[in-house]
Amino acid sequence: MKRVFFHVALAAGILILCAAGAIGGATYYYTSQRGAGCAGCHEMADYVGAVHASSHRSVGCFDCHSTGWAAKLRHTAVHLSGRTPEAIRLRDVDVVEMTAKCQSCHQREYATWRAGPHSATYAQIFTNAQQNATRRLMDDCFRCHGMQFSGSIGDIVQPQSLNGPWRIVRAGLASEPTMPCQACHWIHREGLPVSKPVARFSVAGAADGESLAFFDRREQMHFAIAELPLPQIFDRARPVNVSPDQRQALCYQCHAPRQPDAESAAARNNWGAQAGSGDDRTPLGVHEGISCFTCHSGHGESTRASCATCHPVMSDCGLAVEKMDTTYANPASKHNIHWVKCQDCHTHGVPRSMHRGSEFVKPIQWNER
Amino acid sequence: MAGTAATGAVCITGCSWRNSSRWEFLSNAQAETLAALADQIIPEDDFPSASQAGVVVYIDRQLMGPYRRHRGAYQGGIESADQISRKFCGVALAQARPTMRQEVVSALAERFREFFEMVREHTMEGYYGSPRHGGNRDAVSWRMLGLKEPPLRGRAHYDLSKGRGS
């Protein structure tokens, strides 16, 4: 009996040693070559090639992607079975993990994004009672929220009705962001590594526009901002002066105007996409023609302090612009900052000296910097 | 434990025992020939050629999936293309001079009409289809056609609690 036990223990010991050696060797093989080892599997070759041509070329695959046992076993099973997916994509959980890894290098950007509205969680977006009680939950929500989520709307929130209370089906995602870094940034984009500027610009200053890209859920790929369209927008029949800042093309993918309803005067007269419709925030009135990025900082979206970039702290009226209650965030308000007009305040007529419209503010163009 | 040992062993070898090609189904030589053939169907001009836009990637991936049934046809057809090329110019199609490639492909289209039409159809699919399938790299053909992709779709405002849209 002792002899049998000895042989079993010896065999198990040898197996453990072999496994440890093999796994240790594999880990070294992959990590020591900054991803070249990953390209040994032909399914990975294109992706590794893309990373080595990207601005993240100095980062190894395993600095961002999972190296756990489960991942290794899953990759091996897929590879050996030959059931390789048509395109290799990050899973929901990988996207969540990735966001935390972005933080390790981009701490300032992460902190401002985390404090801003674009870090809204699955629970905040999909169990919002005010929203869900008036509008039907639908897969189209994923176009701008949770775009990397692999299931349908019923897989993330229940019940699918106007009557709550609503709950997140996959509880682990409830506190995770619906608009992670990869929603607006293309990590594997082609380009040179970006060096940080010596001095930071203000909210109106340059952002890393080259990394901006929209992750399109339907195509399961990023579209760089240079490829995204800037819309032609009308305020009734009048063409709206839209800033040519190409970075806005990213904003417009979600904050977009709609084509007019079929029976409307706008449709009958071919007025095209109407300002203020859909989720549109295109500036009209006194702010017409300026870019989203003139007031909104890229990650935090904070805008209050940006007023002082163009306006004197004390306005011509003697009001402190940063303290004015203009009901600027209320879309129903005529003082909404996006489309407030001179006449909205000067109800008895606009003083001649102020009659300069949008020419008053000449926005700094992205490509002028 | 045995599974993890196998994992490690597979990872260490880089799976080279299985396929040394950088492609999923095609060999490197077959892919080069297919690229030369596809580039005669959609050559480079102001916009990328078929192979530059990833058509070979598209076909290669489909041969691992829905187009498994065409594997034999591709292997035989590519071999035939190289044979015709060797007969015409002494080298495989990928190594032939650009002016000769057109003659080789014309001969291929005449003698192996069914194969050529299949490649032409798949080249079109890869070049004009969705980039998610491996072709139409960076949506290049859509930009060539002036398509605004992805389209802008502002969400309709409505309020079901009031019994109507608003």
Side-chain angles (χ1 to χ4, degrees):
Chain A
M1 187 65 186
K2 274 187 178 176
R3 193 179 177 81
V4 172
F5 180 76
F6 173 76
H7 280 116
V8 169
L10 185 66
I14 291 171
L15 200 57
I16 289 169
L17 279 176
C18 289
I23 292 160
T27 303
Y28 174 76
Y29 174 75
Y30 282 148
T31 53
S32 64
Q33 300 175 70
R34 289 198 308 103
C38 304
C41 291
H42 36 100
E43 298 96 330
M44 291 284 187
D46 276 356
Y47 302 90
V48 175
V51 174
H52 286 177
S54 80
S55 55
H56 282 102
R57 66 186 61 172
S58 58
V59 180
C61 298
F62 289 147
D63 290 335
C64 297
H65 296 289
S66 173
T67 56
W69 297 110
K72 282 177 182 163
L73 283 170
R74 194 175 63 252
H75 293 168
T76 305
V78 168
H79 179 70
L80 293 178
S81 69
R83 292 195 298 271
T84 315
E86 194 177 44
I88 300 172
R89 301 290 175 209
L90 290 175
R91 300 170 308 149
D92 318 331
V93 290
D94 297 328
V95 171
V96 169
E97 285 182 15
M98 272 289 299
T99 304
K101 288 173 180 171
C102 298
Q103 179 190 11
S104 60
C105 292
H106 304 280
Q107 293 182 12
R108 180 187 175 118
E109 290 79 6
Y110 183 89
T112 50
W113 164 81
R114 200 66 180 167
H118 281 161
S119 66
T121 63
Y122 278 86
Q124 287 172 320
I125 294 292
F126 291 105
T127 62
N128 182 305
Q130 188 181 1
Q131 165 80 24
N132 294 359
T134 55
R135 295 179 185 176
R136 203 176 294 286
L137 287 157
M138 60 183 85
D139 281 349
D140 203 41
C141 300
F142 288 130
R143 178 178 164 76
C144 294
H145 306 291
M147 53 281 281
Q148 274 105 349
F149 181 70
S150 55
S152 65
I153 191 71
D155 298 322
I156 193 68
V157 57
Q158 288 291 345
Q160 292 285 302
S161 74
L162 298 178
N163 302 312
W166 296 269
R167 63 181 173 81
I168 296 294
V169 177
R170 284 182 48 187
L173 285 176
S175 60
E176 299 298 342
T178 53
M179 290 159 279
C181 308
Q182 294 94 324
C184 299
H185 293 283
W186 187 0
I187 314 298
H188 287 188
R189 75 177 171 86
E190 203 169 295
L192 295 171
V194 177
S195 58
K196 289 189 175 180
V198 176
R200 291 274 177 179
F201 288 84
S202 70
V203 288
D208 175 21
E210 291 177 357
S211 77
L212 293 175
F214 178 69
F215 182 80
D216 186 57
R217 178 180 171 84
R218 193 180 54 167
E219 301 298 346
Q220 289 289 300
M221 63 176 280
H222 282 92
F223 285 84
I225 52 167
E227 300 164 15
L228 296 173
L230 271 175
Q232 186 178 14
I233 306 176
F234 292 81
D235 180 16
R236 290 181 167 272
R238 183 183 67 85
V240 173
N241 177 21
V242 176
S243 164
D245 185 345
Q246 188 62 29
R247 292 176 298 171
Q248 293 183 119
L250 180 64
C251 313
Y252 272 118
Q253 283 297 321
C254 292
H255 300 283
R258 290 177 59 237
Q259 294 296 322
D261 295 327
E263 298 302 317
S264 66
R268 285 198 301 275
N269 291 288
N270 295 319
W271 289 343
Q274 292 289 290
S277 63
D279 293 311
D280 182 53
R281 301 285 189 276
T282 304
L284 298 175
V286 296
H287 293 129
E288 184 171 327
I290 67 173
S291 164
C292 308
F293 289 86
T294 304
C295 299
H296 294 277
S297 65
H299 291 100
E301 303 300 306
S302 61
T303 53
R304 264 294 186 187
S306 69
C307 300
T309 308
C310 300
H311 297 276
V313 175
M314 297 301 289
S315 70
D316 292 347
C317 314
L319 297 170
V321 291
E322 292 181 29
K323 295 177 182 172
M324 287 170 65
D325 178 13
T326 60
T327 55
Y328 67 95
N330 182 358
S333 167
K334 64 181 182 180
H335 291 155
N336 181 286
I337 205 73
H338 291 105
W339 35 78
V340 62
K341 296 182 173 65
C342 301
Q343 294 87 341
D344 292 331
C345 292
H346 296 275
T347 52
H348 300 296
V350 181
R352 185 170 293 278
S353 62
M354 295 179 67
H355 210 273
R356 284 175 289 190
S358 59
E359 292 175 11
F360 182 71
V361 178
K362 183 183 183 298
I364 302 166
Q365 299 303 332
W366 177 39
N367 53 10
E368 286 177 4
R369 296 194 183 100
Chain B
M1 191 58 72
T4 46
T7 307
V10 167
C11 292
I12 280 178
T13 57
C15 308
S16 56
W17 56 273
R18 188 167 180 262
N19 188 348
S20 60
S21 168
R22 65 178 287 260
W23 304 91
E24 293 188 32
F25 173 72
L26 299 168
S27 68
N28 290 332
Q30 286 173 331
E32 284 180 13
T33 301
L34 184 57
L37 178 52
D39 283 351
Q40 289 302 309
I41 297 168
I42 304 180
E44 180 184 9
D45 49 19
D46 291 343
F47 289 89
S49 69
S51 65
Q52 289 167 342
V55 163
V56 181
V57 177
Y58 166 78
I59 294 174
D60 184 55
R61 287 187 189 172
Q62 303 315 310
L63 289 172
M64 291 296 288
Y67 289 169
R68 279 173 185 268
R69 64 184 185 280
H70 296 310
R71 284 179 172 184
Y74 266 96
Q75 285 176 321
I78 289 170
E79 178 59 31
S80 300
D82 278 337
Q83 279 177 359
I84 293 172
S85 180
R86 286 194 191 94
K87 194 174 170 185
F88 275 41
C89 26
V91 290
L93 181 60
Q95 280 78 50
R97 281 183 287 120
T99 48
M100 293 301 294
R101 286 183 188 178
Q102 193 169 4
E103 286 186 33
V104 173
V105 173
S106 297
L108 180 78
E110 200 173 296
R111 295 181 204 176
F112 300 93
R113 188 175 185 81
E114 201 173 329
F115 170 69
F116 177 77
E117 288 185 353
M118 179 180 71
V119 174
R120 185 176 60 187
E121 188 177 320
H122 293 172
T123 299
M124 295 294 195
E125 288 173 8
Y127 197 81
Y128 293 104
S130 169
R132 69 186 298 178
H133 303 300
N136 195 6
R137 186 170 290 152
D138 295 336
V140 66
S141 70
W142 295 349
R143 278 187 280 141
M144 179 178 76
L145 295 171
L147 294 176
K148 290 179 178 176
E149 185 67 25
L152 295 174
R153 290 188 298 164
R155 187 181 56 180
H157 287 160
Y158 60 86
D159 186 348
L160 286 175
S161 66
K162 295 176 182 172
R164 61 181 176 78
S166 63

